[in-house]
Amino acid sequence: MTDKVERLAARLGEFARERDWEQFHTPKNLAMALAGEVGELVAEFQWLTPAEAANLDEETLARVRSELGDVTNYLVRLADVLHVDVVEAAHAKLDENERRYDPELYRGSARKAPPLSP
């Protein structure tokens, strides 16, 4: 993990320990909390046009920033509890997508690529 992510993971772990919340921070509970926070983030964009979503007013942007913080905190906490390097996992996924989505075949296309062969 990067130093910033490691520091955040440590701070989140300490936050949970100080409150005796580690007992509640199971992978299932953290994944469910993450999904809920993603829903709250999505709700901020619901019914906006693409132009409106790209040019949020200050009040909406503040709410989006807060929800992004919640999503990030739960994602980093979940990864930490599972001993997953979230940055390494993201790079591995990007490596896979680079193999799946050849720029010559998928440039400007939103179509889904077939799964990679084993």
Side-chain angles (χ1 to χ4, degrees):
M1 277 195 265
T2 67
D3 190 48
K4 284 183 178 182
V5 176
E6 286 176 358
R7 286 196 317 266
L8 178 58
R11 186 172 173 201
L12 290 165
E14 182 62 24
F15 180 86
R17 271 187 298 286
E18 287 176 343
R19 290 155 182 80
D20 193 26
W21 287 355
E22 289 178 304
Q23 62 184 317
F24 307 118
H25 285 196
T26 65
K28 177 198 73 79
N29 287 353
L30 291 167
M32 291 176 70
L34 174 59
E37 293 300 338
V38 168
E40 291 180 24
L41 175 61
V42 169
E44 292 297 334
F45 292 94
Q46 190 173 18
W47 313 123
L48 297 181
T49 66
E52 291 169 332
N55 296 293
L56 300 175
D57 60 65
E58 287 302 314
E59 184 179 314
T60 305
L61 183 58
R63 290 193 310 269
V64 166
R65 187 178 293 114
S66 178
E67 296 306 334
L68 285 168
D70 286 338
V71 167
T72 301
N73 286 341
Y74 277 117
L75 178 64
V76 169
R77 183 70 178 136
L78 175 61
D80 189 42
V81 166
L82 291 173
H83 308 290
V84 171
D85 181 325
V86 71
V87 174
E88 184 179 293
H91 281 291
K93 188 62 179 184
L94 185 55
D95 292 344
E96 178 184 317
N97 286 339
E98 285 176 337
R99 291 190 303 277
R100 286 181 69 200
Y101 293 96
D102 181 315
E104 296 305 315
L105 298 174
Y106 289 92
R107 183 171 286 110
S109 172
R111 66 190 160 98
K112 185 100 169 132
L116 284 174
S117 301

